[in-house]
């Protein structure tokens, strides 16, 4: 969960973000540091519906960067366990080809955390 003291200056949402894990919050800090406007989970994409039209599968990317028109999904799971997320990203690209989305893996996040010395925060 987000630290109550954390103020995000580049966040564009109406209510304070409620991060699912500390990695998402650290990513938000990096975006804020570089003054990159961002939104947290602003849109859910319906991936599958049943015969009655009810949603059976959906996906909500973690971040949206409006200036880059880019959705970002961050996963800190081990590489071997990200298959399900990769499948959802693939489905979004198939069903919404106009959407730009990137999946950041644990190794990508660790490189950023090391580069920006986030281990001390």
């Amino acid at each position: 969960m987000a630290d109550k003291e954390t103020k995000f200056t580049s966040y564009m949402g109406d209510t304070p973000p409620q991060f699912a894990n500390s990695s998402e919050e650290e990513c938000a800090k990096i975006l804020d540091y570089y003054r990159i406007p961002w939104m947290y989970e602003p849109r859910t994409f319906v991936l599958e519906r049943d015969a009655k039209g009810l949603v059976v599968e959906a996906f909500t990317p973690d971040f949206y960067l409006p200036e880059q028109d880019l959705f970002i999904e961050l996963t800190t799971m081990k590489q071997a366990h990200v298959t399900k997320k990769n499948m959802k990203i693939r489905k979004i690209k198939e069903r919404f080809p106009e959407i730009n989305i990137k999946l950041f893996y644990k190794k990508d996040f660790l490189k950023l955390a090391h580069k920006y010395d986030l281990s001390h925060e």
Side-chain angles (χ1 to χ4, degrees):
M1 294 290 158
D3 180 348
K4 290 181 180 181
E5 299 299 320
T6 303
K7 301 287 184 206
F8 294 104
T9 57
S10 297
Y11 175 61
M12 299 179 67
D14 296 329
T15 59
Q18 298 294 313
F19 299 108
N21 56 60
S22 61
S23 296
E24 290 178 356
E25 185 174 358
E26 296 303 323
C27 185
K29 288 177 181 176
I30 291 171
L31 295 170
D32 239 48
Y33 179 81
Y34 283 99
R35 298 181 181 166
I36 298 170
W38 58 276
M39 301 172 82
Y40 182 71
E41 298 185 337
R43 180 175 173 187
T44 296
F45 295 90
V46 175
L47 301 177
E48 296 286 340
R49 292 182 185 271
D50 67 12
K52 294 179 180 177
L54 299 174
V55 175
V56 293
E57 184 179 22
F59 188 64
T60 306
D62 297 322
F63 295 94
Y64 177 64
L65 311 181
E67 290 185 354
Q68 289 75 23
D69 189 23
L70 175 67
F71 286 90
I72 294 175
E73 174 65 14
L74 180 66
T75 181
T76 54
M77 289 188 247
K78 290 183 178 179
Q79 194 78 24
H81 299 125
V82 298
T83 303
K84 195 171 183 177
K85 282 199 175 189
N86 277 321
M87 289 175 60
K88 287 187 174 187
I89 297 288
R90 193 173 314 121
K91 283 184 178 179
I92 285 178
K93 289 181 176 179
E94 289 171 3
R95 288 164 178 77
F96 306 93
E98 72 281 6
I99 300 299
N100 296 314
I101 185 166
K102 293 274 187 190
L103 179 61
F104 278 70
Y105 297 99
K106 183 176 184 177
K107 65 181 180 181
D108 300 320
F109 180 74
L110 291 175
K111 285 180 188 175
L112 285 173
H114 178 74
K115 183 175 180 178
Y116 299 106
D117 198 25
L118 296 176
S119 60
H120 300 293
E121 293 185 24

